[in-house]
Amino acid sequence: MADIIQLLPDHVANQIAAGEVVQRPASVVKELIENAVDAGATEIKLIVKDAGKTLIQVVDNGSGMSATDARLSFERHATSKIRSAEDLFQLGTKGFRGEALASIAAIAHVEMHTKLHHEEVGARIRIEGGKITEQEVAVTADGTSIAVKNLFFNIPARRNFLKSNQVELRHVIDEFQRVALAHPDIHFEMYHNGNDLFSLPASNYRQRVVNIFGNKTNEKLVPVGETTGVVKLSGFVYKPENARKSRGEQFFFVNNRFIKSPYLHHAVVSAFEGLIREQAHPGYFLYLEVNPATVDINIHPTKTEIKFDDEHTLYAILRSAIKHSLGQFNIAPVLDFDKDGGLDTPYDYKNKPVHVPTIEVDSDFNPFREEESQGNTFSSGHSQTGSGSGSGGGRPSWQQNARQGRPADWESLYVGLGDRDKSDTDHFSSVEIESGEVMGSEVRQSGMLFEESSGSEPSVTTYQLHKKYIVTTIKSGMVIIDQYRAHQRVLYEQFLRQMTVKEGISQQLLFPIVLYYSSSDVALLHELKDTLQFIGFAIDKLEGDEITITGIPASVSESEVSIILEQLIADFKDEIPDRSFSQTDRLAKSLSKTLAVRSGEILNEASQEALVNDLFACKEPNVSPFNRPTYITITVEDLDKKFL
């Protein structure tokens, strides 16, 4: 039998490695910026076009490379950061695998300019699809500049899997922020399509967090610090009142490397137990310094997942340190057993007898009674000196009674209203019957036939089950409706009509609402500004890290505005719903998910019937905006089978 195992060509091996290392433009940004940090750069500039699909360029003032090293850096497993296997357990650099540049060059057009500080000229290299097409001496600045163009140009299937520019840019910003937070001593800049997104001067950790996430972040931060023989912990956590519904600013750094650790995240959440509302997520920026020999970074090519030798000890230290910080800065509630001396009884009053207060209150005192008596005296005097024909001088009888203080005569004002109430009740009953008939006709048009009765009262009755489902009867049995999904469908179609057919009704606020977000979140709201105005949001100011809202939709309360915008930002960052939908459709889905009546909320009978009517008046009442069923039907035959 012939030999069948053979070595893969280099360009094939590089493309296989690229599938692990380079998943999207953000992966390229991460690798290039980390290389710049490892090169000892003090200034790093990131330039991006079309969310990285067209251009990703990183310029640094690091050590640079010679012409030989520049060419060798694009070979597989070529690195200057480790020499032997033992070095894997004493890593002090970001990269060490030697795969990044080779993987990037295999799927893009790459151009590198680099120069050593003591050299007069540098080198320029061009690579297309893993093949070097040009290498020459060039005049360039100290350090390295790498431009990656037309990512995935030779793998169209991978390029088609990329999401919209908006989502890809979010991932690029995330990677940029992670490296910038880990190295506050480096000056970072970022540009997208010619716009300056970030300019972060060298600073300390706290100032770097504030520069990235806005000035108002400084008020939210609670410092955390602990030094033990196992770990040196530093950083910040958000105050409990700043916990958000969506996962926002949550960062772990181990030896200046961003990591993801669900286990350590659970330690942080448990430290906030009892301080934040249910389903809220605390924000944190935590830096851990451990012995490199006690962690294993070489688990995944992205190097965001690591293993600790003693996770349980780290869990306990992290949890206790955060609890201590929350209590130390009077964030967590504490029991104060110290007495206030000012509330104690003085010693000279200790043995004095207790007397009843001398102040007396006349419970029958009525100032109006005195005025009435004076008025009566004046009236009687006037009648004696005047015409003398009865008291009151020709005033109407109800006014005389009022002047003479007859308290029972006010009841005469309501004589005869009983019959009027009855007629009004009859009138309202007829209106309700008519509305019931209209409701029934709408439901029949939507394909549901409710049971008719011979009486004049509408036969449609509803019942709320477990504060989650609405049960109503139909001719063939019953319908069980999920109130949350049903309300999502109703709100979704309402918002779509407002955004596509007519402008939404906006209620102006007496006092504008001012909210603060990170610059990246504000940039996202800029893109959604026009659509938000169509549904009723009046935005007066949207710049920097501040947004001023002067009007909100009529169906939204002021307390819900921040919740809506936070959920909206989170949904669009993660591109929920899918990118195949338009921005208007995605916005309507996000708003309907946030504003819909949740499971667990009690609805009165009128609200239940209104929700049922509105649902079956929708164009697609069968499913929610996220293609989940809104109701199920149980026929009488199905019930009969249960009793066989």
Side-chain angles (χ1 to χ4, degrees):
M1 182 177 179
D3 297 334
I4 59 175
I5 296 178
Q6 58 183 353
L7 292 174
L8 291 174
D10 288 342
H11 70 280
V12 177
N14 287 338
Q15 288 193 6
I16 293 174
E20 295 181 346
V21 178
V22 184
Q23 301 172 355
R24 60 196 335 152
S27 306
V28 177
V29 170
K30 174 181 180 294
E31 299 293 344
L32 296 185
I33 293 182
E34 287 183 347
N35 283 345
V37 172
D38 289 339
T42 59
E43 295 182 2
I44 300 176
K45 183 185 297 183
L46 171 63
I47 302 171
V48 178
K49 289 184 179 180
D50 298 331
K53 298 176 183 178
T54 302
L55 171 67
I56 300 172
Q57 184 176 5
V58 175
V59 182
D60 67 73
N61 63 347
S63 59
M65 291 180 286
S66 64
T68 303
D69 286 345
R71 179 162 188 151
L72 191 60
S73 65
F74 289 98
E75 299 295 330
R76 291 192 69 207
H77 305 303
T79 181
S80 62
K81 299 167 186 177
I82 61 173
R83 290 288 184 269
S84 62
E86 289 75 15
D87 294 338
L88 291 173
F89 303 100
Q90 296 292 333
L91 289 173
T93 57
K94 300 289 185 183
F96 55 87
R97 300 170 66 96
E99 291 181 319
L101 290 181
S103 300
I104 294 170
I107 55 175
H109 297 160
V110 180
E111 182 175 347
M112 172 191 285
H113 294 76
T114 184
K115 184 176 84 69
L116 296 169
H117 286 253
H118 62 274
E119 297 287 345
E120 295 183 355
V121 294
R124 182 169 73 92
I125 297 178
R126 284 186 177 179
I127 302 178
E128 296 181 3
K131 297 180 180 180
I132 297 178
T133 59
E134 185 178 351
Q135 180 176 1
E136 61 183 6
V137 176
V139 177
T140 183
D142 294 343
T144 303
S145 171
I146 301 181
V148 179
K149 305 176 182 178
N150 304 322
L151 191 64
F152 300 125
F153 80 98
N154 54 352
I155 311 179
R158 177 69 64 84
R159 189 177 180 89
N160 291 335
F161 275 112
L162 294 179
K163 298 186 181 296
S164 64
N165 287 354
Q166 182 178 320
V167 175
E168 295 299 339
L169 179 61
R170 299 291 146 231
H171 288 284
V172 170
I173 291 176
D174 286 344
E175 295 294 347
F176 174 82
Q177 290 177 347
R178 291 168 181 174
V179 181
L181 286 170
H183 299 276
D185 55 329
I186 300 177
H187 181 197
F188 285 91
E189 294 180 0
M190 179 178 175
Y191 300 87
H192 179 249
N193 292 341
N195 299 321
D196 184 2
L197 294 186
F198 293 97
S199 181
L200 310 174
S203 60
N204 55 28
Y205 284 119
R206 189 180 192 115
Q207 190 60 45
R208 176 55 56 88
V209 171
V210 172
N211 288 339
I212 292 179
F213 296 101
N215 295 328
K216 285 295 179 179
T217 307
N218 192 38
E219 304 172 0
K220 307 176 184 178
L221 300 179
V222 177
V224 178
E226 189 69 42
T227 302
T228 67
V230 178
V231 60
K232 179 181 179 182
L233 174 65
S234 60
F236 309 93
V237 295
Y238 276 174
K239 295 178 181 178
E241 59 265 27
N242 298 120
R244 304 171 65 176
K245 291 184 63 177
S246 58
R247 293 180 180 269
E249 292 77 39
Q250 298 178 343
F251 297 89
F252 276 118
F253 301 94
V254 174
N255 297 343
N256 290 333
R257 182 192 304 276
F258 172 80
I259 67 161
K260 297 178 180 179
S261 175
Y263 187 69
L264 296 183
H265 172 76
H266 188 272
V268 177
V269 174
S270 63
F272 280 86
E273 186 177 0
L275 299 178
I276 59 177
R277 60 187 182 276
E278 190 177 356
Q279 297 181 346
H281 303 278
Y284 52 82
F285 309 86
L286 297 173
Y287 301 82
L288 289 75
E289 294 183 22
V290 299
N291 185 353
T294 62
V295 296
D296 185 6
I297 302 172
N298 191 23
I299 295 178
H300 192 272
T302 59
K303 300 182 284 292
T304 58
E305 301 176 9
I306 66 175
K307 291 293 184 182
F308 297 94
D309 283 352
D310 191 358
E311 284 187 332
H312 299 289
T313 302
L314 288 177
Y315 184 100
I317 294 174
L318 185 60
R319 182 174 180 270
S320 61
I322 294 175
K323 274 185 169 292
H324 176 71
S325 295
L326 293 175
Q328 182 181 8
F329 290 91
N330 295 325
I331 304 301
V334 295
L335 295 177
D336 186 9
F337 294 101
D338 296 334
K339 294 191 299 182
D340 186 355
L343 300 178
D344 292 339
T345 303
Y347 286 108
D348 53 345
Y349 283 87
K350 183 176 182 181
N351 298 321
K352 286 188 175 183
V354 178
H355 299 285
V356 179
T358 57
I359 300 175
E360 296 183 359
V361 178
D362 183 6
S363 58
D364 295 330
F365 174 74
N366 188 346
F368 299 101
R369 188 177 302 161
E370 295 178 0
E371 293 180 2
E372 290 169 357
S373 62
Q374 294 174 3
N376 293 335
T377 303
F378 173 77
S379 299
S380 61
H382 178 73
S383 63
Q384 290 173 0
T385 57
S387 61
S389 58
S391 63
R395 293 187 180 92
S397 59
W398 65 267
Q399 190 173 357
Q400 290 182 10
N401 295 337
R403 296 282 296 179
Q404 294 172 3
R406 298 180 182 175
D409 285 353
W410 61 269
E411 298 177 357
S412 62
L413 297 175
Y414 297 91
V415 174
L417 291 182
D419 298 336
R420 189 184 308 172
D421 292 340
K422 185 178 185 303
S423 62
D424 290 345
T425 304
D426 296 339
H427 171 69
F428 293 145
S429 299
S430 63
V431 173
E432 290 175 359
I433 293 173
E434 292 176 2
S435 63
E437 293 176 354
V438 174
M439 179 273 296
S441 63
E442 290 179 351
V443 172
R444 292 188 192 97
Q445 291 174 4
S446 63
M448 301 296 296
L449 183 59
F450 285 90
E451 184 179 5
E452 297 180 358
S453 64
S454 58
S456 60
E457 294 295 329
S459 62
V460 179
T461 58
T462 59
Y463 175 76
Q464 189 177 26
L465 181 64
H466 295 300
K467 303 178 185 178
K468 184 177 182 180
Y469 301 104
I470 297 175
V471 182
T472 185
T473 58
I474 57 175
K475 188 174 182 179
S476 60
M478 70 173 68
V479 176
I480 303 177
I481 301 172
D482 187 309
Q483 66 184 38
Y484 179 51
R485 295 180 184 177
H487 201 204
Q488 279 184 348
R489 164 55 62 179
V490 173
L491 292 177
Y492 168 69
E493 295 197 4
Q494 287 179 359
F495 285 129
L496 275 186
R497 284 194 297 270
Q498 292 177 0
M499 288 184 280
T500 57
V501 179
K502 61 180 180 179
E503 189 172 352
I505 300 174
S506 177
Q507 56 179 349
Q508 297 301 304
L509 300 174
L510 182 60
F511 300 102
I513 299 175
V514 181
L515 302 173
Y516 297 90
Y517 297 97
S518 64
S519 55
S520 59
D521 292 346
V522 172
L524 174 60
L525 292 175
H526 255 297
E527 300 177 11
L528 303 175
K529 181 179 179 181
D530 294 339
T531 312
L532 287 172
Q533 289 177 340
F534 267 110
I535 63 174
F537 283 97
I539 301 176
D540 182 58
K541 180 181 179 182
L542 187 58
E543 59 185 27
D545 60 349
E546 181 180 330
I547 174 174
T548 303
I549 299 174
T550 58
I552 58 178
S555 58
V556 176
S557 64
E558 293 186 38
S559 60
E560 294 175 326
V561 173
S562 60
I563 300 175
I564 291 172
L565 294 182
E566 285 179 9
Q567 186 64 51
L568 188 64
I569 291 171
D571 286 348
F572 272 77
K573 279 185 176 180
D574 299 331
E575 200 166 48
I576 301 173
D578 190 74
R579 66 187 177 94
S580 59
F581 295 93
S582 65
Q583 185 184 88
T584 301
D585 185 85
R586 290 160 53 197
L587 179 59
K589 289 182 176 180
S590 179
L591 291 173
S592 65
K593 180 177 69 173
T594 307
L595 295 175
V597 175
R598 299 277 177 177
S599 299
E601 295 188 27
I602 300 176
L603 301 179
N604 57 33
E605 187 174 351
S607 300
Q608 297 170 24
E609 293 183 0
L611 181 57
V612 173
N613 297 341
D614 291 342
L615 173 64
F616 291 109
C618 292
K619 294 182 179 179
E620 296 183 14
N622 300 333
V623 293
S624 72
F626 304 95
N627 291 324
R628 301 288 182 87
T630 57
Y631 67 87
I632 60 172
T633 303
I634 300 178
T635 63
V636 177
E637 290 77 9
D638 295 334
L639 293 175
D640 291 340
K641 292 178 182 178
K642 298 293 183 181
F643 291 94
L644 293 178

